Amino acid sequence: MGSSDTRSIDELERCVEAIGTTEPAERSADDHARLIDALVALADAYGKRGEFDAEAEMITRLDQLRGRDESNDVAVHLANALANATSVRARDNLYEAAIDPGRIEAYRNRIEELYDPRPEPAIAAPLARATAETIHANGKGNRRDRIEPLLDRLETVYETHSEPDVAAALLRAHAHAELYRGEGLEQENDGTTDVPLGDTDATETADSARKPSDEENRVTRAEEVFRTHPDGDVAAGLAGVLAGRTNADAKRTDIEAIEDRIGRIEALADRYPAQAESITRWLPVATANAARASFEAADISRVEHWASETAAHYEQLSTPSSATWAAVAMFFSARASFFDGDIEAGETKLERLEELEMRYENPVFAHWLARSMFDAARSYVEANESERARDMVEELSEFAVGHQDREEIEAGLEALRSHAPQLFNEPDSSVSEATDAVEVTAGPVAPTDDPDETLGDTHPDDRAPETDSGRGMPDTGGANGGNQHSAKTSATDDDSADAPGCGNCGDDGCGNCGTDADLKEPASGPVLAVVGAAVLIVGFSVVYTLYRVQQALRDTVGSK
């Protein structure tokens, strides 16, 4: 929500300084009210600029005013200033790369301290708002084990104060809980598991009755609250719950359910045009999951449609949050193009991912970009474009330096090289003659080891589906290859029949008869490896031929 004061920071600072220099006893009631309003607005202005120390100082001054005169309504203004300080959505740009959920939760707890002695709607509303924002912060800050206790407490507040503003905060909290649902609640925490949520013992039964259980659909609860409060802000919370549920829908590849939820969100925006922006800001979540589910269903046209819709929402919103979902959708669109053999289209989308990664500091963009680069490299391998494959692998190697997922990236590169060694091992001049004489071919690349899956997950919505990317390198080392080896071996045998010497002589002379005593340098390691491969192939052919002859003789004897 934030402060609605339109004054600049300079104007607010002059107001605070002018009134603050007078003694409290000398201030008029109007000056006192003006000072309080200016402190609330100035604290919020500092916070939106990321000047958190200055924000904390203004909040402290408000708290001091409350301590001098508890009979006035400073506590309500202080609660609103504290709630503004917990805002995550309104300060999305500040928390793009990192967030301190502990600081935000501490502000929320201070409102709880104000609410306990004065459980009034005027303080319940900022408490509810701060609780929803704290749930968001804990989700972003990977402290998801703290979400459910906070949600329990917010349900209790709503039971006591069933007002539209509290209901709207409740549904926003459910939206963020749904968004992060099941994503790491069992992860390690920072050791501070005891969250001071106020006195909840007396209302545990009510919490249990109203809070959705694992069996109860969170969407059902949101719809119930919305029916009770058909308000625009509550509708925005419902839209968030619907969008968050598409995460689970995408995991089930339920594209129809996702599209139904998208239609519902759009209908809510049409119904409440004044809150359309708050409602439609959830659409990138749903459309990105629609692109993901469409990829799982191998429906390329749907992938392209929903990826384009997500990109359009991002262009309209231009927020770091919408950019992350645009990256998700673009990744699956690029992957669909690469897997479909449309390398040019895949490269175009890869460039868009690079633009997002350069624009934003969030490491999740580098995560999606690296995975798409792996897809590109694999496509080059499949298309037998060795130079482009080597260039992409080299680029990925440079990209991995200093990257938080360096080990995973390098492991993926190693897997890719092992799948297609003939593309990534530069031919040595010492083996050029040998490779002319003996054709060394690579078998099919195993499709089960997907190099991009070695990258870790960095965001609740960045889990790529487990796809069947079974496009291996074409098998060029089949029977024909064996026949070529046999033919070349036969030609060598024919030529050696007329060679001078004792019959055991080779190209480097003979130790028995002394023919061609000027010995050449010993063969290099690669040459020996190549020749050894040829010997193995010939040996296998001989053994296999003898085996077939033996089987034929047995069949003949058996028939007689």
Side-chain angles (χ1 to χ4, degrees):
M1 183 178 295
S3 173
S4 59
D5 199 306
T6 58
R7 287 176 289 179
S8 68
I9 288 182
D10 289 340
E11 291 174 323
L12 291 169
E13 287 176 338
R14 286 195 296 269
C15 178
V16 169
E17 184 178 358
I19 302 176
T21 54
T22 61
E23 291 295 327
E26 298 176 0
R27 295 172 194 157
S28 66
D30 182 61
D31 285 342
H32 186 72
R34 287 172 53 215
L35 176 60
I36 292 173
D37 289 340
L39 286 172
V40 172
L42 189 56
D44 190 39
Y46 284 141
K48 287 179 178 177
R49 294 205 312 192
E51 299 178 18
F52 298 132
D53 290 341
E55 178 183 46
E57 183 182 346
M58 297 302 104
I59 291 175
T60 299
R61 292 185 65 173
L62 277 169
D63 203 9
Q64 291 171 348
L65 290 175
R66 180 182 68 90
R68 292 192 186 102
D69 186 3
E70 296 186 1
S71 62
N72 60 39
D73 211 22
V74 179
V76 175
H77 292 282
L78 176 60
N80 279 291
L82 290 166
N84 293 340
T86 66
S87 181
V88 176
R89 182 183 66 180
R91 303 176 181 183
D92 196 16
N93 60 316
L94 300 177
Y95 303 131
E96 176 189 336
I99 191 171
D100 180 6
R103 178 180 63 84
I104 292 172
E105 189 165 305
Y107 281 137
R108 179 243 167 242
N109 293 339
R110 289 177 64 179
I111 306 175
E112 186 86 59
E113 294 172 359
L114 297 173
Y115 174 79
D116 284 342
R118 293 180 58 181
E120 303 170 1
I123 299 179
L127 174 61
R129 179 159 58 96
T131 304
E133 296 290 348
T134 304
I135 287 174
H136 190 183
N138 280 324
K140 287 177 69 72
N142 205 25
R143 302 202 311 178
R144 296 165 195 168
D145 56 330
R146 307 173 80 86
I147 290 177
E148 290 300 325
L150 288 166
L151 195 56
D152 287 347
R153 178 57 177 148
L154 186 48
E155 285 280 359
T156 302
V157 173
Y158 174 71
E159 289 291 332
T160 306
H161 308 280
S162 300
E163 305 293 334
D165 48 1
V166 178
L170 175 64
L171 291 200
R172 285 197 301 272
H174 276 298
H176 293 299
E178 182 66 31
L179 196 63
Y180 296 109
R181 182 173 66 93
E183 298 288 348
L185 291 177
E186 71 288 349
Q187 293 182 6
E188 69 279 359
N189 55 55
D190 60 0
T192 57
T193 54
D194 296 327
V195 184
L197 301 178
D199 185 9
T200 59
D201 294 340
T203 53
E204 278 187 357
T205 303
D207 288 343
S208 302
R210 304 311 306 161
K211 174 184 169 296
S213 63
D214 292 338
E215 295 76 23
E216 183 183 357
N217 195 322
R218 201 184 299 275
V219 175
T220 302
R221 172 61 171 150
E223 294 281 9
E224 175 188 330
V225 174
F226 176 65
R227 282 194 299 270
T228 305
H229 308 279
D231 176 82
D233 290 332
V234 180
L238 173 59
V241 175
L242 293 169
R245 177 48 63 94
T246 63
N247 270 349
D249 296 332
K251 291 179 182 179
R252 298 193 305 270
T253 320
D254 194 346
I255 181 62
E256 288 77 13
I258 296 175
E259 290 177 343
D260 287 344
R261 300 193 201 284
I262 291 172
R264 182 72 196 287
I265 294 172
E266 292 173 339
L268 289 172
D270 292 338
R271 181 177 174 182
Y272 299 97
Q275 286 78 26
E277 183 178 354
S278 297
I279 294 171
T280 56
R281 76 178 186 86
W282 290 101
L283 280 173
V285 180
T287 54
N289 277 322
R292 169 183 169 180
S294 299
F295 175 84
E296 290 276 25
D299 192 336
I300 295 179
S301 62
R302 263 178 167 170
V303 174
E304 295 304 314
H305 170 74
W306 290 117
S308 297
E309 287 289 306
T310 310
H313 291 311
Y314 163 63
E315 292 296 331
Q316 181 179 3
L317 297 169
S318 295
T319 61
S321 178
S322 62
T324 60
W325 293 103
V328 172
M330 191 60 62
F331 164 77
F332 285 107
S333 179
R335 170 168 278 194
S337 295
F338 283 128
F339 281 20
D340 197 44
D342 191 348
I343 293 179
E344 184 176 354
E347 289 174 331
T348 299
K349 297 161 186 175
L350 180 61
E351 291 175 359
R352 295 174 188 168
L353 282 173
E354 290 174 342
E355 292 172 0
L356 289 172
E357 193 273 336
M358 292 177 62
R359 180 174 179 180
Y360 296 98
E361 297 179 2
N362 193 329
V364 73
F365 294 101
H367 170 81
W368 291 114
L369 175 59
R371 297 185 69 166
S372 192
M373 290 169 73
F374 271 114
D375 288 343
R378 181 168 47 201
S379 294
Y380 297 149
V381 169
E382 294 170 2
N384 204 29
E385 297 185 16
S386 57
E387 184 176 352
R388 298 173 77 180
R390 285 193 294 268
D391 289 344
M392 182 57 71
V393 167
E394 183 179 351
E395 187 176 346
L396 263 170
S397 298
E398 296 175 356
F399 186 78
V401 177
H403 194 279
Q404 65 176 12
D405 295 325
R406 178 172 183 172
E407 293 183 3
E408 290 83 355
I409 293 175
E410 290 177 346
L413 290 174
E414 185 61 30
L416 193 62
R417 291 188 185 100
S418 66
H419 287 170
Q422 81 284 4
L423 293 184
F424 298 106
N425 291 336
E426 292 290 342
D428 190 273
S429 59
S430 62
V431 300
S432 58
E433 295 181 2
T435 52
D436 288 340
V438 181
E439 181 181 350
V440 181
T441 57
V445 175
T448 55
D449 294 328
D450 195 344
D452 70 304
E453 296 300 338
T454 61
L455 294 175
D457 296 323
T458 60
H459 188 273
D461 315 300
D462 70 355
R463 291 182 182 271
E466 297 178 2
T467 57
D468 181 12
S469 55
R471 286 186 174 87
M473 284 293 295
D475 187 357
T476 59
N480 293 338
N483 293 338
Q484 290 171 1
H485 289 300
S486 300
K488 292 176 182 177
T489 305
S490 299
T492 304
D493 292 341
D494 292 341
D495 293 339
S496 65
D498 298 327
C502 64
N504 294 324
C505 303
D507 293 338
D508 293 335
C510 182
N512 294 332
C513 65
T515 304
D516 196 8
D518 294 333
L519 300 180
K520 299 178 181 178
E521 294 183 2
S524 63
V527 172
L528 292 176
V530 171
V531 174
V535 171
L536 288 175
I537 293 172
V538 172
F540 176 78
S541 300
V542 172
V543 172
Y544 184 72
T545 302
L546 292 175
Y547 169 78
R548 296 294 297 166
V549 170
Q550 185 180 20
Q551 288 293 109
L553 289 174
R554 286 180 178 177
D555 292 343
T556 302
V557 173
S559 62
K560 291 181 179 181

